[in-house]
C-alpha cells in the first residue's frame, strides 16, 4: 500500500510539474488565463488531493473517537455546548437591527432572516470569545493555586 501511494504521488508530482510549465505567461490577459486547460487541471488535482485528505482525516478521527468511549462522551458534550451557544445566539439576535428599506435603498437586497443570521453569527463570536477568555482565566487560576 505504501509503494502504491508513493507511485501515485510521484505521478501527480510529475503531472503537476508539466502543467506548471504549460501555465499562461504574465503577458496573457486574465480573462484568457482563466480559460487555460493547464490551470483547470491543476485545480482538479488540488481538489482531489484536498478531498482525499479530508476523507482520510475524518475516517481516522471517527475511528479513534469511537474506539475510546470517554473521548466520545467528552466530544458529545462539547458539541452539545456548541449547540447551546448557537441557540442562545439565535434567541439574542433580533433581526431588526438594520432597516431593510435603507439596505434596499443602497442596492443591497436583504431580509429579516438574513439580518437575524448575521446577528446570530456575531453573537456566537462574542459568546465564544467570552467562553475562551473565561477558560484561560480559570486555567491560570488553577495553575496558580496548584503551585
Amino acid at each position: 500500500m505504501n509503494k502504491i501511494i508513493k507511485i501515485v504521488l510521484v505521478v501527480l508530482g510529475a503531472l503537476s510539474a508539466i502543467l506548471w510549465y504549460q501555465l499562461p505567461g504574465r503577458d496573457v490577459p486574465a480573462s484568457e488565463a482563466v480559460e487555460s486547460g493547464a490551470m483547470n487541471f491543476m485545480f482538479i488535482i488540488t481538489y482531489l488531493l484536498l478531498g482525499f485528505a479530508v476523507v482520510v482525516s475524518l475516517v481516522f478521527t471517527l475511528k479513534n473517537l469511537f474506539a475510546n468511549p470517554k473521548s466520545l462522551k467528552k466530544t458529545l458534550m462539547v458539541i452539545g455546548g456548541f449547540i447551546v451557544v448557537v441557540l442562545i445566539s439565535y434567541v439574542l439576535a433580533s433581526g431588526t437591527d438594520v432597516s431593510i428599506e435603507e439596505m434596499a435603498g443602497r442596492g443591497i437586497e436583504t431580509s429579516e432572516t438574513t439580518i437575524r443570521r448575521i446577528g446570530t453569527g456575531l453573537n456566537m463570536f462574542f459568546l465564544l470569545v467570552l467562553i475562551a477568555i473565561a477558560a484561560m482565566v480559570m486555567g491560570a487560576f488553577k495553575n496558580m493555586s496548584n503551585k
Side-chain angles (χ1 to χ4, degrees):
M1 184 69 175
N2 199 13
K3 286 185 178 185
I4 294 172
I5 292 174
K6 285 183 181 181
I7 292 170
V8 168
L9 289 176
V10 167
V11 169
L12 284 175
L15 180 63
S16 298
I18 292 168
L19 291 173
W20 177 265
Y21 286 108
Q22 292 180 348
L23 287 175
R26 292 184 183 178
D27 55 341
V28 177
S31 60
E32 291 179 25
V34 171
E35 302 290 328
S36 169
M39 189 176 296
N40 289 335
F41 283 126
M42 288 184 81
F43 277 120
I44 289 170
I45 291 172
T46 303
Y47 292 144
L48 288 174
L49 290 175
L50 181 64
F52 181 74
V54 167
V55 168
V56 169
S57 297
L58 283 175
V59 166
F60 282 110
T61 300
L62 293 175
K63 178 184 167 194
N64 291 335
L65 187 65
F66 288 114
N68 187 358
K70 193 178 275 188
S71 70
L72 179 62
K73 180 181 176 185
K74 190 173 182 179
T75 302
L76 291 175
M77 288 177 58
V78 168
I79 291 172
F82 185 73
I83 291 172
V84 168
V85 169
V86 170
L87 291 175
I88 291 171
S89 299
Y90 186 76
V91 169
L92 292 176
S94 66
T96 58
D97 300 335
V98 180
S99 170
I100 296 174
E101 294 80 23
E102 185 176 328
M103 297 295 281
R106 294 182 179 188
I108 304 171
E109 294 299 324
T110 188
S111 66
E112 187 174 331
T113 305
T114 304
I115 295 170
R116 188 165 191 171
R117 287 180 185 162
I118 293 170
T120 300
L122 290 171
N123 290 339
M124 278 179 47
F125 173 76
F126 294 132
L127 282 174
L128 290 173
V129 165
L130 289 175
I131 291 169
I133 290 171
M136 288 188 292
V137 168
M138 286 175 38
F141 281 132
K142 187 176 180 181
N143 285 340
M144 287 186 340
S145 64
N146 287 341
K147 290 184 179 183

